[in-house]
């Protein structure tokens, strides 16, 4: 059974065709980084307009590349939240139109559930023994992206549908947002995660000591805004760092996509140490909560997904940590926003007959 997936919750217009929740036939992602880069973050109004421009050709390309005709599609799965409401509305409205015109059911998918299914989809594709590509359940799932930092406990019902319990979430900034804001502050451009990831190995992660506060109430919740403020204070205390940041901003005006060598040429030892220490603090915070949750809940595996799960140090430290069960990450292309994960998350709902009506609404703060 072929499902068309559509994803427009933030700044990527994406469409994909996935067979039976496990075989990707096409996976098209039109990125808006060039549009938002100069503002150092996603501008919601511009994102909606870019989605409007891209949605028709992106969906057409996904169906063409899959080598199927629209009559082969069993359903259309679409992200209905959480995300930017103007962006969500573009994908959702187009999916409703396709559902109506092509006579196929509409399935609303929570974006966070999509990030978890990116991993479930890929493991099924690998179909490795001894579990035949099935991740051991119940599992913990840490979704870490530009908009979210959520820790879930997940299991599967007899119907094949998945259930989720939220164990912890960020009280302020998401982990990816912290990477992006710190990168902007240091004159490193957008998105910040990939560049911080590449520069961090050149600094000393023990050089700057960041303290993280204990969370009152739910101690599995996260907080990253204090860390961002601590980086700001550190920069404000040094005229040399501020001057260096200004030089990087000027460099980016003439060279919008600097090479690693160029970045390194503009970064002093103190900057590299600051970057390495910041990244280490974020990864430590994420790992600590995952280990705490693993100790309290009887999970059999851990899934880490979302854009920040591309981070090299995060992958290394989570993999090396003795959690006592396997840790899974999707490949980088499936960690960041895509529509294959939405089609995959829609498949169990298709089997369970859980369809959405045409009154399905876009919800900016949809909970899973
Ligand atoms: O999942 P995603 O594509 O979009 C959201 O749903 O938000 O995640 C984008 C986020 C951005 O904040 C970006 O800076 C971060 O993921 N990111 C990374 C890395 N690659 C992307 N953060 C840390 N290290 C990376 N290598
Ligand atoms: Zn996402």
């Amino acid at each position: 059974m072929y499902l068309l997936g559509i994803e427009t919750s933030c700044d990527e217009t994406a469409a994909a065709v996935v067979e039976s929740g496990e075989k990707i036939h096409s996976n098209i992602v039109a990125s808006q980084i060039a549009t938002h880069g100069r503002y150092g973050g996603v501008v919601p109004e511009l994102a909606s307009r870019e989605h409007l421009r891209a949605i028709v050709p992106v969906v057409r390309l996904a169906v063409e590349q899959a080598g199927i005709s629209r009559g082969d599609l069993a359903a259309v799965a679409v992200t209905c939240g959480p995300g930017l409401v103007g962006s969500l509305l573009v994908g959702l409205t187009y999916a409703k139109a396709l559902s109506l015109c092509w006579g196929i059911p509409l399935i609303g998918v929570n974006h966070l559930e999509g990030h978890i299914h990116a991993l479930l989809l890929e493991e099924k594709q690998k179909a490795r023994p001894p579990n035949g590509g099935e991740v051991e359940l119940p599992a913990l799932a840490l979704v870490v992206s530009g908009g979210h930092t959520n820790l879930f406990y997940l299991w599967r019902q007899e119907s094949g549908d998945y259930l989720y319990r939220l164990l912890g979430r960020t009280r302020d900034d998401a982990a990816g947002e912290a990477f992006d804001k710190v990168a902007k502050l240091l004159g490193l451009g957008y998105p910040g995660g990939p560049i911080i990831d590449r520069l961090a190995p050149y600094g000393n992660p023990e050089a700057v000591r960041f303290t993280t506060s204990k969370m009152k109430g739910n101690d599995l919740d996260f907080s990253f805004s204090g860390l961002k403020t601590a980086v700001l204070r550190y920069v404000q205390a040094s005229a040399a760092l501020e001057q260096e940041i200004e030089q990087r901003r000027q460099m980016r005006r003439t060279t919008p996509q600097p090479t690693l060598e160029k970045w390194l040429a503009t970064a002093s030892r103190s900057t590299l140490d600051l970057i390495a220490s910041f990244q280490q603090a974020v990864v430590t915070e994420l790992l600590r909560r995952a280990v705490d949750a693993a100790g309290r809940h009887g999970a059999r595996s851990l899934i880490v997904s979302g854009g920040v799960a591309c981070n090299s140090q995060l992958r290394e430290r989570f993999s090396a940590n003795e959690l006592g069960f396997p840790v899974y990450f999707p490949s980088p292309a499936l960690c960041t926003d895509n529509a294959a994960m939405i089609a995959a998350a829609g498949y169990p709902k298709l089997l369970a007959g859980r369809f959405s009506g045409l009154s399905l609404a876009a919800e900016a703060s949809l909970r899973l």
Side-chain angles (χ1 to χ4, degrees):
M1 279 199 272
Y2 296 98
L3 256 93
L4 171 66
I6 296 181
E7 154 63 38
T8 62
S9 66
C10 189
D11 61 341
E12 248 99 41
T13 317
V17 173
V18 177
E19 186 181 350
S20 305
E22 58 182 74
K23 185 158 194 261
I24 300 179
H25 287 271
S26 63
N27 190 17
I28 311 295
V29 181
S31 164
Q32 302 179 4
I33 284 179
T35 304
H36 303 288
R38 80 187 78 146
Y39 303 103
V42 178
V43 184
E45 180 58 26
L46 294 182
S48 314
R49 291 184 201 186
E50 291 287 320
H51 285 307
L52 275 175
R53 246 195 290 270
I55 189 75
V56 175
V58 163
V59 170
R60 187 179 294 149
L61 192 59
V63 175
E64 268 173 28
Q65 268 196 11
I68 59 161
S69 67
R70 61 194 198 202
D72 297 323
L73 289 169
V76 53
V78 62
T79 308
C80 53
L84 301 170
V85 82
S87 293
L88 287 165
L89 277 171
V90 176
L92 182 56
T93 310
Y94 194 56
K96 284 181 184 176
L98 294 180
S99 160
L100 204 57
C101 296
W102 294 355
I104 52 175
L106 177 76
I107 301 174
V109 170
N110 184 305
H111 181 79
L112 301 173
E113 184 174 16
H115 274 301
I116 296 170
H117 278 264
L119 184 279
L120 300 175
L121 158 71
E122 213 165 33
E123 287 304 307
K124 280 188 196 141
Q125 281 186 338
K126 287 182 195 159
R128 291 182 309 212
N131 303 310
E134 294 285 341
V135 168
E136 299 84 343
L137 297 175
L140 292 177
L142 179 63
V143 181
V144 265
S145 70
H148 319 279
T149 304
N150 289 355
L151 185 60
F152 296 102
Y153 180 78
L154 75 121
W155 68 101
R156 192 162 42 192
Q157 288 177 305
E158 271 180 28
S159 65
D161 220 356
Y162 291 82
L163 290 177
Y164 309 86
R165 180 145 50 92
L166 182 66
L167 301 178
R169 64 187 169 84
T170 182
R171 300 258 180 103
D172 37 60
D173 292 347
E177 193 178 355
F179 271 99
D180 294 338
K181 285 180 173 169
V182 164
K184 184 175 180 182
L185 177 71
L186 297 177
L188 294 170
Y190 174 84
I195 182 65
I196 288 182
D197 191 359
R198 287 168 72 204
L199 290 174
Y202 296 89
N204 172 9
E206 307 297 335
V208 187
R209 293 259 164 218
F210 291 113
T211 50
T212 48
S213 46
K214 206 165 158 24
M215 303 307 286
K216 287 205 184 101
N218 182 1
D219 61 1
L220 291 179
D221 276 353
F222 304 85
S223 168
F224 295 102
S225 75
L227 194 53
K228 173 195 65 189
T229 310
V231 173
L232 175 66
R233 298 272 175 271
Y234 191 89
V235 168
Q236 283 173 335
S238 160
L241 279 182
E242 289 200 321
Q243 203 180 356
E244 208 188 294
I245 291 165
E246 192 42 45
Q247 280 168 3
R248 273 196 292 277
R249 291 199 175 122
Q250 279 179 14
M251 173 185 79
R252 283 189 23 249
R253 274 182 216 122
T254 50
T255 319
Q257 304 259 309
T259 58
L260 179 62
E261 288 67 34
K262 276 217 177 246
W263 281 124
L264 287 170
T266 65
S268 64
R269 165 94 1 240
S270 334
T271 296
L272 294 170
D273 286 349
L274 181 60
I275 288 171
S277 304
F278 162 75
Q279 179 179 271
Q280 169 151 296
V282 175
V283 174
T284 301
E285 175 81 357
L286 294 171
L287 186 58
R288 186 181 317 142
R289 300 284 185 268
V291 171
D292 284 356
R296 285 182 226 171
H297 300 272
R300 298 178 57 212
S301 60
L302 169 66
I303 297 169
V304 191
S305 188
V308 180
C310 293
N311 187 269
S312 326
Q313 199 199 38
L314 179 145
R315 285 179 177 245
E316 233 168 74
R317 289 189 53 204
F318 270 76
S319 306
N321 193 74
E322 294 299 313
L323 279 160
F325 49 62
V327 181
Y328 295 96
F329 309 93
S331 58
L334 286 184
C335 277
T336 49
D337 288 352
N338 65 87
M341 67 185 198
I342 302 302
Y347 183 64
K349 298 185 201 301
L350 174 68
L351 292 182
R354 280 181 48 205
F355 303 128
S356 312
L358 289 178
S359 58
L360 178 66
E363 272 190 60
S365 311
L366 185 66
R367 300 284 290 264
L368 179 61

